[in-house]
Amino acid sequence: LLPFVIGIVGYIAFHIFEASKFCFEPTIPPRLFSNRTSFAAFIVTFLHGMLTYWVVYFLPVYFQGVLLSSPTRSGVQLLPTAIVLFPFAIIAGLYTTKTAATWSFMRTFGGIWGVSIPAAVFNNKFNTLIHKISDTATRGRLTSGAAYQHASGEFIASFPPELQSAVTDTYVGSLKMVWQVSIAFAILGFMISLMEKEVKLRETLETDYTLKERKNAKSKDTRAD
């Protein structure tokens, strides 16, 4: 809980500094959030980045800790998700480099929370369910955040069948809570997206460069006359 509190306080302090006169080139200018559509889009970008990392980090725990897949098999099982996620992430990255660094920052910042929040949920839930495991030595190996790193078919298969069932059930209950919390964030993102207003994009591009070209063309025609 303490790291989350420190993170939230630090995030608030960051925005206070960004809005102050001491920050000459803010990463997230406050003016970007003055518009309802921009505000909603940034929050949705943050949540999308968070949930992307959420899935990528905890699906392998399910594959290896519950289905008892090998690391290689787990990678193959994750492949359909990666095929959908990462090409679009690359396209979005190329696009945001041409628009604003704020989008990239919000997505990356969301990814940080997309690892820390589910990890905290998973570890806390695992500690509350660990009483299902009767063996004291096994409980000691899986407490204090160690359950994530031990989520492998090889590790769980090393126990007797009765103990395997208890360990697997504990993983199932912990992951269930992780996915339930992720659904709550996904619903939040959907609700916030309804705040966005449709903005019709311009179909023509007018720049100073184009104006200069027109002036140069007129001057050449004048000289020719």
Side-chain angles (χ1 to χ4, degrees):
L1 182 60
L2 181 60
F4 281 109
V5 174
I6 296 174
I8 292 172
V9 172
Y11 186 61
I12 294 173
F14 167 76
H15 277 286
I16 292 174
F17 174 74
E18 290 274 291
S20 69
K21 62 181 180 179
F22 301 104
C23 184
F24 301 104
E25 295 183 2
T27 305
I28 306 180
R31 58 182 171 78
L32 296 178
F33 295 92
S34 59
N35 180 278
R36 184 187 73 186
T37 299
S38 298
F39 173 78
F42 283 130
I43 299 300
V44 170
T45 300
F46 170 83
L47 292 173
H48 183 266
M50 183 179 73
L51 291 172
T52 298
Y53 279 83
W54 198 301
V55 171
V56 170
Y57 269 78
F58 277 87
L59 268 183
V61 177
Y62 170 72
F63 294 143
Q64 298 184 55
V66 177
L67 301 183
L68 305 184
S69 301
S70 65
T72 303
R73 176 64 179 169
S74 175
V76 174
Q77 291 168 319
L78 187 63
L79 193 58
T81 303
I83 289 175
V84 174
L85 289 176
F86 291 110
F88 287 100
I90 294 172
I91 294 172
L94 293 174
Y95 176 74
T96 54
T97 56
K98 297 179 181 180
T99 54
T102 306
W103 288 85
S104 179
F105 174 83
M106 293 298 291
R107 183 173 177 81
T108 303
F109 188 64
I112 296 172
W113 290 93
V115 176
S116 58
I117 293 178
V121 172
F122 176 79
N123 291 329
N124 289 333
K125 188 62 177 179
F126 200 97
N127 289 337
T128 61
L129 297 176
I130 204 167
H131 65 273
K132 295 182 177 181
I133 303 173
S134 58
D135 184 65
T136 306
T138 304
R139 288 203 303 266
R141 296 174 67 180
L142 294 173
T143 54
S144 303
Y148 185 94
Q149 68 186 50
H150 286 302
S152 68
E154 183 180 358
F155 174 78
I156 297 175
S158 65
F159 298 114
E162 303 80 14
L163 197 54
Q164 284 185 34
S165 178
V167 172
T168 302
D169 288 345
T170 307
Y171 273 102
V172 170
S174 304
L175 288 171
K176 182 179 179 180
M177 178 60 70
V178 168
W179 300 127
Q180 287 173 341
V181 175
S182 72
I183 291 172
F185 277 109
I187 293 174
L188 175 63
F190 173 75
M191 297 301 293
I192 292 176
S193 68
L194 298 178
M195 296 171 55
E196 297 183 30
K197 185 172 63 175
E198 183 179 359
V199 178
K200 187 176 180 180
L201 299 178
R202 292 181 300 175
E203 297 180 356
T204 58
L205 177 64
E206 295 184 3
T207 63
D208 292 338
Y209 180 76
T210 305
L211 294 174
K212 288 179 181 178
E213 278 191 332
R214 291 175 182 174
K215 290 179 181 179
N216 291 337
K218 287 182 180 180
S219 62
K220 287 181 181 179
D221 292 340
T222 304
R223 276 185 240 163
D225 293 341

